[in-house]
């Protein structure tokens, strides 16, 4: 981590005010929505980079099966593209590396940077996030979403530096150590744009559990420390099994609590999965940032993405503040025991 912030556009973006395109009212409060242009026509990677596109999704999803599902292609197509790129670019697998496990060299690196420029020319950013914050990106114009994965802060940064991502939503719980108040993480070549603070809540069946299911410690180390410091028992969800259905099944089978942002997952989702707030509710506020490589951070698409995400976080936080009863540890949630 660098000692000083490299020159970039973060300061400029912070001074920008989102243009108003309407007012939304929720729980007696009004929220100004920034103007967001219509989504661009369906983006297709250039034919010359089609195999690289498949390899990128393979790296980001970490399995051929998940990559095929995300691309809506047969798994044999993923395997074929991988073999072609290994042959043509002399890629050597790096199984123990956190990123670019299927191989990396200067040639492929520059191809990925060229592919990023092609996306930016189309007004598109490939943004990564974890399962907890993935819905912040839903329906956001100019954003190419990828399957969510929990990752450490350093891994998100490496994915940006290698051109696999054009941006990432980072939680303060992903950092290796706490930051001083009002400070932001700093990495050379990366713009760090604040999105605001938001609160997590533990939900479970039943509501009296003191055991919680968290992502692997390497991905959210500060959340693990916070829960353990408050006397909760912690179990880890395997890194290879991060899909929401797998989380729910493990939590139900073992009667574990899950951390969620209720305002992002929605009350209907909580009701349909019979999840209620745990009685002993810890304080779990996190700071969110949007990470961008400096080249991508200087585009109109990046500014609009930052504005849209900031508005969504601010709206969710405002709703949390006007619904204190929903997050109170003093009232016992209703649960019928079934």
């Amino acid at each position: 981590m660098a000692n000083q912030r490299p020159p970039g556009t973060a300061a400029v973006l912070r001074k920008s005010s989102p243009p108003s395109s309407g007012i939304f009212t929720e729980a007696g409060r009004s929220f100004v929505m920034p103007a967001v242009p219509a989504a661009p026509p369906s983006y297709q990677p250039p034919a010359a980079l089609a195999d690289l596109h498949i390899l990128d999704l393979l790296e980001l999803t970490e399995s051929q099966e998940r990559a095929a599902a995300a691309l809506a292609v047969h798994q044999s197509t993923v395997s074929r593209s991988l073999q072609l790129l290994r042959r043509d670019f002399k890629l050597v697998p790096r199984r123990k590396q956190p990123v670019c496990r299927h191989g990396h060299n200067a040639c492929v690196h520059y191809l990925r940077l060229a592919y990023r420029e092609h996306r930016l020319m189309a007004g598109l950013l490939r943004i990564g996030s974890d399962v907890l914050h993935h819905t912040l990106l839903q329906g956001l114009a100019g954003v190419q979403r990828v399957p969510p994965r929990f990752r450490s802060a350093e891994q998100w940064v490496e994915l940006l530096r290698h051109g696999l991502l054009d941006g990432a939503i980072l939680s303060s719980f992903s950092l290796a150590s706490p930051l001083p108040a009002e400070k932001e993480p700093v990495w050379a070549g990366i713009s760090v744009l604040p999105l605001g603070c938001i609160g997590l809540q533990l939900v479970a069946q039943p509501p009296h559990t003191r055991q919680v299911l968290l992502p692997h410690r390497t991905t959210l180390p500060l959340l693990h420390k916070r829960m353990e410091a408050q006397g909760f028992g912690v179990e880890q969800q395997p890194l290879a099994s991060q899909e929401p259905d797998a989380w729910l099944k493990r939590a139900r089978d073992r009667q574990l609590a899950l951390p969620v942002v209720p305002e992002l997952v929605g009350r209907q989702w909580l009701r349909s999965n019979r999840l209620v707030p745990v009685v002993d509710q810890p304080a779990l506020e996190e700071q969110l940032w949007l990470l961008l490589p400096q080249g991508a951070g200087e585009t109109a698409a990046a500014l609009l993405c930052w504005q849209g995400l900031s508005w969504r976080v601010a709206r969710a936080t405002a709703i949390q503040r006007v619904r204190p009863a929903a997050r109170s540890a003093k009232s016992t949630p209703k649960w019928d025991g079934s």
Side-chain angles (χ1 to χ4, degrees), residues 7 34 39 57 90 100 133 156 178 236-237 259 266 276 293 312 320 322:
L57 266 293
K90 298 179 173 56
C100 298
H133 308 101
W156 285 121
Q236 300 184 87
Q237 181 73 2
V276 295
R312 292 181 175 192
Q320 289 180 344
V322 299

Side-chain angles (χ1 to χ4, degrees), residues 171-187:
S171 165
S172 54
F173 288 132
S174 295
L175 299 173
S177 57
L179 290 173
E182 306 301 323
K183 296 294 184 180
E184 296 174 354
V186 180
W187 292 275

Side-chain angles (χ1 to χ4, degrees), residues 7-317:
T9 59
V12 176
L13 291 179
R14 282 196 194 88
K15 295 177 183 177
S16 304
S17 353
S20 173
S21 69
I23 298 177
F24 177 87
T25 302
E26 170 79 17
R29 292 200 177 189
S30 297
F31 307 92
V32 179
M33 175 61 184
V36 178
S42 180
Y43 173 80
Q44 293 294 331
L49 298 177
D51 288 323
L52 181 65
H53 179 71
I54 292 175
L55 179 61
D56 283 359
L57 266 293
L58 177 58
E59 293 284 6
L60 292 169
T61 59
E62 301 177 3
S63 88
Q64 291 192 19
E65 181 180 1
R66 287 192 291 267
L71 292 162
V73 300
H74 196 275
Q75 190 170 330
S76 63
T77 302
V78 177
S79 179
R80 182 167 57 251
S81 292
L82 175 61
Q83 296 305 319
L84 286 172
L85 289 171
R86 280 180 176 173
R87 182 196 66 193
D88 293 346
F89 295 100
K90 298 179 173 56
L91 292 176
V92 178
R94 313 186 312 166
R95 302 299 185 192
K96 295 184 179 181
Q97 297 298 316
V99 299
C100 298
R101 295 188 305 164
H102 293 279
H104 176 73
N105 56 38
C107 186
V108 171
H109 177 68
Y110 285 115
L111 281 176
R112 284 195 166 116
L113 296 184
Y115 186 17
R116 170 185 287 167
E117 290 301 318
H118 190 272
R119 291 192 294 271
L120 295 178
M121 285 170 55
L124 195 68
L125 291 150
R126 182 190 286 169
I127 306 290
S129 70
D130 60 35
V131 174
L132 293 177
H133 308 101
H134 199 54
T135 54
L136 286 171
L137 298 169
Q138 187 172 356
L140 202 60
V143 169
Q144 182 186 73
R145 295 194 301 169
V146 296
R149 306 288 291 176
F150 285 103
R151 307 180 194 275
S152 68
E154 296 298 330
Q155 190 175 8
W156 285 121
V157 169
E158 287 304 303
L159 289 171
L160 266 63
R161 286 176 172 162
H162 283 81
L164 284 156
L165 290 175
D166 309 323
I169 297 175
L170 175 69
S171 165
S172 54
F173 288 132
S174 295
L175 299 173
S177 57
L179 290 173
E182 306 301 323
K183 296 294 184 180
E184 296 174 354
V186 180
W187 292 275
I190 302 294
S191 294
V192 181
L193 309 182
L195 296 176
C197 294
I198 200 167
L200 299 179
Q201 185 180 51
L202 295 184
V203 295
Q205 295 181 358
H208 297 278
T209 182
R210 294 282 299 176
Q211 303 293 316
V212 62
L213 180 62
L214 296 182
H216 196 274
R217 180 179 290 272
T218 58
T219 64
L220 291 179
L222 294 186
L223 184 57
H224 277 255
K225 291 179 180 179
R226 177 74 61 83
M227 298 307 305
E228 291 167 352
Q230 298 195 38
F232 281 82
V234 174
E235 290 197 27
Q236 300 184 87
Q237 181 73 2
L239 283 172
S241 182
Q242 297 195 27
E243 292 71 22
D245 288 346
W247 277 81
L248 282 170
K249 184 179 186 307
R250 191 179 186 90
R252 285 171 177 162
D253 291 348
R254 305 192 181 197
Q255 295 192 335
L256 305 173
L258 292 170
V260 300
V261 182
E263 292 71 24
L264 297 185
V265 299
R267 301 291 166 175
Q268 180 58 41
W269 183 87
L270 293 172
R271 284 193 295 268
S272 64
N273 288 288
R274 305 176 66 78
L275 295 171
V276 295
V278 302
V279 174
D280 190 5
Q281 194 68 225
L284 296 173
E285 187 174 74
E286 60 178 345
Q287 170 70 47
L288 298 179
W289 296 279
L290 175 63
L291 304 185
L292 296 167
Q294 285 178 348
E298 297 167 0
T299 64
L303 174 59
L304 289 170
C305 178
W306 174 70
Q307 289 176 332
L309 288 171
S310 297
W311 178 84
R312 292 181 175 192
V313 172
R315 176 181 175 273
T317 302

